Amino acid sequence: MQPVDMSTFGNATTLNEQEDFISTLYDQLERQDIPVELIHSESAPGQLEVVLSYSDDILQLADDIVYARETVTNVAKQHGMKALFLPKTSMMAAGNGSHLHFSFREAGSQHRNAFSDPCQPTGISLKGESFIEGLLDHLPSLLSLSIPTVNSFRRVGPGCWTGHKLGWSTEDKDSPVRVCIDLNTQQASNVELKLSDAAANIYLELATILAAGMEGIKNGKVLRPMMNDENNALPLPQSLQESLDSLKKDELLLSILGDELSTAYIAVREFEARTETTLEEEVAAALNRA
């Protein structure tokens, strides 16, 4: 596999050299009413990030993500390239994620951010804190849906900017759950889940994440202290099988999936965990399909 360039994060090389591809991609997404907030170069050679705008229509957003990936694949073909979404294509370069951001608005208001509360010590509203705690309570199980392959877990670890311990932090790129600060207001604006990639079924992923967060709000869960060097945060599952074992005991997520789907999902993923393929084999197969 040969990257189209050797650019690094925020570098203009990719934007300049791939201008025709990027312009076509933007135009095609715009024609499908898929709103794009930003396109920029990322950390690995030849890697681009496409940031879609936020929406309160969850199902439409999930559809847009699926259509956007299909569009990227087909526009890349038109320009003589192959687009890969594999979580890892090389152990020597950054992987591909599909990070998700969540925020709240006051009922009846399109503008007031209900995630922020400057009066709180964390800067996060009580509902925002409870949402995060609900997410953290179920995160070991959620990983089986948000990073659901053996390859996905190759992207997780210290220094990988994904997080590998069970906890949250503010503006920490190495925290799995990151509270983001608005540059203009300097207030908490939303929460990001970094342990997510394109191998996930976005519909199942969003349904279970929102269920976990809403359970936290419903039960008024108290947010645990922010991760730091002094508190010993528990490690997250280190493999697909570990996360599936957690899912098997998670009554909330199993109820969201239902008996038939959860049984089938776990069976298929456990088979994949047992029949692990090498990274080289996965990349070759992905290039074949692209």
Side-chain angles (χ1 to χ4, degrees), residues 179-195:
V179 172
C180 303
I181 302 298
D182 185 286
L183 292 177
N184 294 319
T185 65
Q186 290 300 304
Q187 294 181 3
S189 59
N190 61 275
V191 62
E192 175 190 21
L193 175 63
K194 299 174 71 67
L195 287 169

Side-chain angles (χ1 to χ4, degrees), residues 236-254:
L236 284 164
Q238 300 297 299
S239 69
L240 174 58
Q241 187 58 60
E242 278 187 50
S243 65
L244 288 167
D245 289 340
S246 181
L247 177 61
K248 291 177 190 175
K249 297 178 283 189
D250 194 314
E251 293 182 5
L252 174 69
L253 299 195
L254 291 177

Side-chain angles (χ1 to χ4, degrees), residues 18-280:
Q18 309 306 327
E19 182 180 358
D20 289 345
F21 164 72
I22 293 170
S23 295
T24 305
L25 174 61
Y26 182 84
D27 289 343
Q28 291 294 328
L29 292 173
E30 194 175 45
R31 289 184 185 185
Q32 297 171 76
D33 294 322
I34 298 175
V36 177
E37 209 168 86
L38 181 69
I39 299 177
H40 69 91
S41 57
E42 257 294 348
S43 300
Q47 188 180 50
L48 283 172
E49 178 175 17
V50 179
V51 181
L52 302 186
S53 297
Y54 69 88
S55 172
D56 58 6
D57 187 335
I58 301 299
L59 187 57
Q60 183 61 59
L61 181 60
D63 288 345
D64 286 350
I65 290 170
V66 174
Y67 295 143
R69 288 174 187 158
E70 289 294 317
T71 305
V72 170
T73 298
N74 285 287
V75 172
K77 281 182 183 178
Q78 292 174 15
H79 288 265
M81 299 182 289
K82 293 190 174 186
L84 297 186
F85 298 93
L86 283 177
K88 269 292 190 181
T89 59
S90 167
M91 295 308 293
M92 303 303 293
N96 294 310
S98 182
H99 299 178
L100 299 171
H101 292 253
F102 301 88
S103 61
F104 313 107
R105 294 287 181 270
E106 291 285 359
S109 169
Q110 294 183 345
H111 305 292
R112 172 154 164 63
N113 188 345
F115 183 79
S116 174
D117 185 350
C119 296
Q120 287 286 105
T122 61
I124 309 166
S125 68
L126 291 175
K127 286 183 179 178
E129 289 187 350
S130 294
F131 182 91
I132 295 172
E133 186 59 31
L135 190 60
L136 292 171
D137 274 351
H138 295 277
L139 191 54
S141 309
L142 284 168
L143 297 189
S144 64
L145 294 138
S146 65
I147 51 170
T149 67
V150 172
N151 193 339
S152 298
F153 279 85
R154 294 186 181 120
R155 179 177 153 260
V156 180
C160 291
W161 301 337
T162 58
H164 62 287
K165 290 187 176 181
L166 183 57
W168 70 280
S169 189
T170 298
E171 289 297 0
D172 183 352
K173 294 285 188 179
D174 208 28
S175 173
V177 177
R178 177 176 76 112
V179 172
C180 303
I181 302 298
D182 185 286
L183 292 177
N184 294 319
T185 65
Q186 290 300 304
Q187 294 181 3
S189 59
N190 61 275
V191 62
E192 175 190 21
L193 175 63
K194 299 174 71 67
L195 287 169
S196 172
D197 65 42
N201 178 314
I202 188 63
Y203 301 95
L204 299 184
E205 182 183 13
L206 285 175
T208 48
I209 288 171
L210 291 173
M214 292 305 293
E215 183 202 43
I217 292 176
K218 180 181 177 181
N219 295 331
K221 290 185 176 180
V222 177
L223 181 61
R224 68 195 68 188
M226 183 167 61
M227 281 196 304
N228 57 47
D229 294 335
E230 296 177 4
N231 59 21
N232 296 317
L234 295 172
L236 284 164
Q238 300 297 299
S239 69
L240 174 58
Q241 187 58 60
E242 278 187 50
S243 65
L244 288 167
D245 289 340
S246 181
L247 177 61
K248 291 177 190 175
K249 297 178 283 189
D250 194 314
E251 293 182 5
L252 174 69
L253 299 195
L254 291 177
S255 70
I256 295 299
L257 296 172
D259 290 341
E260 290 187 14
L261 179 55
S262 61
T263 299
Y265 183 88
I266 291 170
V268 169
R269 292 302 186 191
E270 285 192 320
F271 175 79
E272 292 173 352
R274 290 194 305 270
T275 55
E276 178 179 348
T277 56
T278 67
L279 179 58
E280 292 73 21

